Amino acid sequence: MCIDYQSLNKITVADKYPIPNIDELLDELYGSTVFSKVDLRSGYYQIRVNPTDIEKTAFRTHSGRYEFKVMPFSLTNAPSTFQATMNDLFRPHLRRFVLVFFDDILVYSRSRDDHQVHLKIVLNLLLQHQFFAKESKCCFGQHSVLFLGHVVSAEGVQVDQEKEVCKALWYHCSPTDGPHQKDGFKWNEDVAVAFNKLKQALISTPVLRLPDFSQQTFLVECDASGDGVGAILLQEDHPIAYFSKGFSPLNRLKSAYDRELLALILAFLLEQRVTTVEQQRLLLKLMPYDFSIVHRAGKLNKGADALSRRPSTVQLCALVLPKSSVVEEIISELHSDPFTQSIMQKLSQDPNLVPHYQMVDQLLLFKALSWKNATA
């Protein structure tokens, strides 16, 4: 049950207790081979409300007036209160063999013998402070376990495939791909093939290796396009993390040199000739690091290059580009003229039927490749 506590939350002093970062938690798992997960039952309800504050939680229904004796989920400070309680409970063991994210508790160890000791400590602490777990959601002594939407194992971290199938975040069709016609979206064979390839790519996400901080060297591959930046963090040629970020309209107007510098800053590096005040400001962020810069040709930097050109950033670019009404009139006439209609119809059936013709952004072009080369 969720109660509307907006009025109470407005007059409540906010607790600024930090919430753990999932990526940082997962970084602690390097070298672990045995895992157990404990999921607390109705986590927030296991925290008692201060008796003097119980009346503040009052609410009314058709059957009468009620008050919460345990912490309801809708209070503004409920998440921070619960996380602080869990951190205080496990503080001597946090990030040594225990990770806690609200009511999800992960116990991890390098060996089965160590794991038995660690798990006993955790369960005894929960029993001592009267916290209860939901048995059906717990697992013990596993070589891999699902934790916070990731499958963690000795090999590394992998996203939960069942959830990733539902996330078609990169799905994008340009006007020449077929679905975007004058009469609306149409599902066709080409779109079905593209969609199935997308699903396969999502469910076959590679395992990300956990970082080994005992080693000195990490490698960052980065790239900048006109739309955004992309980067991959690697260790021993194995990916540890990915990063992708679209440019704001202002950053899209910057020079290629400034965009590449921004990619290095966002991904984390740099050492090159500084010519502007902004570059000097950005380089201050890099001074504490020991690093070297090695240029990698575009054809060898495919991963970061793809991340810097995500379809989502391309779509945003269209919001800031000028558009000519003349082009719209040309497109309209192309679809109404019998001669051009016949050519476009043949193109959709088999491009070889009409050599030298090509559809680009709903425009019918003749010898388009030669025209592009001439204007390059």
Side-chain angles (χ1 to χ4, degrees):
M1 179 173 57
C2 184
I3 312 299
D4 186 359
Y5 284 120
Q6 291 188 28
S7 298
L8 177 60
N9 289 336
K10 286 181 181 179
I11 61 175
T12 300
V13 178
D15 184 359
K16 301 298 184 180
Y17 193 88
I19 303 302
N21 182 284
I22 295 177
D23 292 336
E24 292 180 0
L25 293 180
L26 297 176
D27 286 346
E28 302 293 332
L29 300 178
Y30 178 80
S32 301
T33 61
V34 188
F35 306 90
S36 292
K37 184 179 70 171
V38 180
D39 195 321
L40 298 183
R41 180 184 295 274
S42 302
Y44 288 8
Y45 289 166
Q46 299 197 45
I47 305 293
R48 290 295 301 268
V49 175
N50 190 318
T52 60
D53 293 325
I54 288 179
E55 62 180 16
K56 299 176 183 177
T57 68
F59 62 95
R60 184 175 294 278
T61 71
H62 65 279
S63 59
R65 181 180 182 275
Y66 298 88
E67 296 174 342
F68 272 99
K69 292 185 178 180
V70 295
M71 185 171 65
F73 283 72
S74 303
L75 295 181
T76 186
N77 285 338
S80 56
T81 298
F82 190 84
Q83 184 65 50
T85 302
M86 292 293 101
N87 284 359
D88 291 340
L89 178 62
F90 295 107
R91 190 170 304 282
H93 315 295
L94 283 179
R95 304 202 178 190
R96 293 179 55 207
F97 57 83
V98 179
L99 297 179
V100 181
F101 190 83
F102 296 107
D103 57 352
D104 289 320
I105 302 169
L106 181 68
V107 185
Y108 57 98
S109 312
R110 291 178 177 264
S111 68
R112 187 164 293 276
D113 291 338
D114 289 342
H115 194 69
Q116 291 179 356
V117 176
H118 297 160
L119 186 57
K120 185 176 181 179
I121 293 173
V122 171
L123 295 179
N124 281 336
L125 283 171
L126 292 174
L127 178 62
Q128 179 184 347
H129 292 85
Q130 299 184 16
F131 282 97
F132 301 92
K134 189 170 184 179
E135 183 179 1
S136 61
K137 290 189 176 181
C138 298
C139 57
F140 304 99
Q142 305 293 313
H143 291 295
S144 66
V145 66
L146 180 62
F147 182 64
L148 304 180
H150 297 77
V151 178
V152 296
S153 65
E155 287 72 31
V157 178
Q158 187 175 17
V159 294
D160 182 6
Q161 295 184 359
E162 292 184 2
K163 293 183 179 179
E164 284 302 305
V165 172
C166 303
K167 296 179 181 178
L169 298 178
W170 286 22
Y171 182 72
H172 170 72
C173 289
S174 68
T176 59
D177 287 332
H180 298 276
Q181 303 295 337
K182 292 179 63 178
D183 52 351
F185 180 87
K186 289 184 178 179
W187 187 271
N188 56 38
E189 184 177 353
D190 292 337
V191 177
V193 171
F195 185 72
N196 289 329
K197 288 182 178 179
L198 173 67
K199 288 197 299 182
Q200 186 60 37
L202 289 173
I203 64 176
S204 59
T205 306
V207 176
L208 296 180
R209 175 177 293 182
L210 295 169
D212 181 5
F213 294 103
S214 64
Q215 298 188 24
Q216 299 295 322
T217 304
F218 288 84
L219 175 64
V220 178
E221 293 182 355
C222 59
D223 183 72
S225 68
D227 307 303
V229 299
I232 305 175
L233 176 64
L234 304 103
Q235 192 173 50
E236 296 182 345
D237 294 327
H238 199 290
I240 294 176
Y242 296 99
F243 169 75
S244 179
K245 181 179 178 64
F247 279 140
S248 66
L250 179 61
N251 284 333
R252 288 194 183 99
L253 300 176
K254 292 182 178 179
S255 67
Y257 183 88
D258 283 345
R259 293 198 307 271
E260 293 288 351
L261 175 60
L262 188 56
L264 288 168
I265 297 296
L266 293 174
F268 148 91
L269 310 176
L270 189 140
E271 163 229 281
Q272 282 197 33
R273 181 169 54 91
V274 179
T275 58
T276 68
V277 174
E278 182 178 12
Q279 292 168 8
Q280 294 173 352
R281 177 182 61 80
L282 293 174
L283 283 175
L284 289 175
K285 299 181 179 181
L286 303 174
M287 292 178 65
Y289 302 105
D290 180 16
F291 59 87
S292 60
I293 303 301
V294 178
H295 175 263
R296 172 170 278 188
K299 63 181 180 180
L300 301 177
N301 201 24
K302 295 180 180 179
D305 182 82
L307 289 171
S308 71
R309 291 164 170 79
R310 288 183 58 180
S312 57
T313 58
V314 175
Q315 292 173 355
L316 292 175
C317 183
L319 298 175
V320 297
L321 290 177
K323 189 173 182 180
S324 172
S325 59
V326 176
V327 176
E328 293 182 348
E329 294 176 5
I330 294 175
I331 294 175
S332 176
E333 292 297 323
L334 284 173
H335 287 273
S336 61
D337 183 82
F339 176 75
T340 55
Q341 275 186 333
S342 64
I343 295 177
M344 290 188 290
Q345 184 176 4
K346 292 178 181 178
L347 277 174
S348 63
Q349 296 172 351
D350 185 358
N352 294 325
L353 295 176
V354 280
H356 307 306
Y357 283 94
Q358 184 179 3
M359 289 296 297
V360 177
D361 294 335
Q362 299 189 72
L363 291 172
L364 180 62
L365 302 183
F366 179 70
K367 293 185 178 180
L369 293 177
S370 300
W371 175 78
K372 289 181 179 178
N373 292 334
T375 57

